[in-house]
Amino acid sequence: MTADARPAAQPPTDRATPPLTERQEARRRRILHASAQLASRGGFEAVQMREVAEAAGVALGTLYRYFPSKIHLLVATMQDQLQHMHSTLRKRPPAGDDAAQRVAETLMRAFRALQREPHLADAMVRALTFADRSVSPEVDTVSRLTTAIILDAMGLENPTPEQLSAVRVIEHTWHSALITWLSGRASIAQVKIDIETVCRLIDLTAEPGPGRG
């Protein structure tokens, strides 16, 4: 894993604040759990800060100290979901014969996990779409987590600039495919074709081996 990607595997410490204490981390996890539960039941509109605070057993002012807005909260919820996916994928890595197949399999597994919770997926994607500059650190962490998941599937520790560029295009396609599926404009079969197609970029950026290039 590259230096840029490695921090993504760690829970973010919001806005350069000191690391959370054990009690603070437990409180933060209750908040994220409450956010995910409310979103799973009713989507983006169901996540109201007062209701999240009540479900998590924290004061509303405390919730706002952790997450300044609903958008911050839902993007952090997506970070949490991706971290869980990353851990699961490391325990059960993809079994494709080459990097492109492994990445496609990985992204479809992640997609199917989101498919099981469509309201939650819609809430998180809408939050990413609505995020402004104040949410940039959280959005960047989501991007680094996605990059780390793809690089793990590729089996790369030191990707070239060309390979990182291909990864970014794959991320954009995956995100776009998720949006079109959530809006009912693409089927699962179409998403799979798009993901498999864009993952072929990996073959184009592979470093030449003996007798190649």
Side-chain angles (χ1 to χ4, degrees):
M1 193 72 59
T2 65
D4 287 338
R6 193 175 295 118
Q10 301 299 322
T13 54
D14 298 318
R15 286 166 175 71
T17 56
L20 299 179
T21 66
E22 185 175 340
R23 183 176 180 182
Q24 289 171 329
E25 179 60 29
R27 186 181 297 129
R28 183 179 185 276
R29 295 217 56 80
R30 291 202 310 274
I31 292 169
L32 292 174
H33 179 72
S35 170
Q37 291 283 43
L38 287 168
S40 294
R41 290 197 290 267
F44 184 84
E45 299 302 333
V47 181
Q48 301 298 323
M49 296 297 271
R50 188 173 298 278
E51 292 186 19
V52 171
E54 291 175 0
V58 302
L60 185 59
T62 299
L63 172 58
Y64 277 110
R65 284 198 296 274
Y66 281 81
F67 303 104
S69 73
K70 170 177 172 174
I71 301 300
H72 288 83
L73 174 58
L74 282 169
V75 174
T77 302
M78 189 163 198
Q79 292 174 10
D80 192 57
Q81 296 291 313
L82 285 171
Q83 285 163 355
H84 177 70
M85 285 183 193
H86 199 186
S87 298
T88 300
L89 288 163
R90 282 180 163 175
K91 292 175 184 174
R92 293 194 305 113
D97 293 332
D98 57 42
Q101 290 179 8
R102 292 193 300 272
V103 172
E105 179 187 338
T106 292
L107 293 178
M108 287 308 299
R109 281 169 60 180
F111 186 88
R112 283 190 284 270
L114 293 171
Q115 184 188 4
R116 289 192 289 270
E117 297 281 1
H119 292 307
L120 174 58
D122 182 64
M124 295 186 302
V125 170
R126 286 177 67 181
L128 279 177
T129 303
F130 297 153
D132 58 22
R133 289 184 180 181
S134 71
V135 200
S136 291
E138 290 83 357
V139 173
D140 288 345
T141 300
V142 167
S143 179
R144 289 197 301 272
L145 276 164
T146 309
T147 298
I149 288 170
I150 294 173
L151 289 176
D152 272 6
M154 291 172 69
L156 285 180
E157 293 186 359
N158 298 294
T160 66
E162 291 79 11
Q163 288 168 328
L164 286 175
S165 180
V167 168
R168 285 193 294 271
V169 175
I170 291 168
E171 288 179 35
H172 296 327
T173 302
W174 185 75
H175 185 251
S176 177
L178 185 57
I179 290 173
T180 55
W181 172 74
L182 286 168
S183 64
R185 293 182 289 120
S187 66
I188 301 299
Q190 289 172 317
V191 168
K192 187 172 186 292
I193 290 170
D194 289 349
I195 294 299
E196 290 176 344
T197 299
V198 76
C199 284
R200 292 174 190 160
L201 284 174
I202 294 170
D203 295 332
L204 299 179
T205 60
E207 292 182 296
R212 289 182 58 188

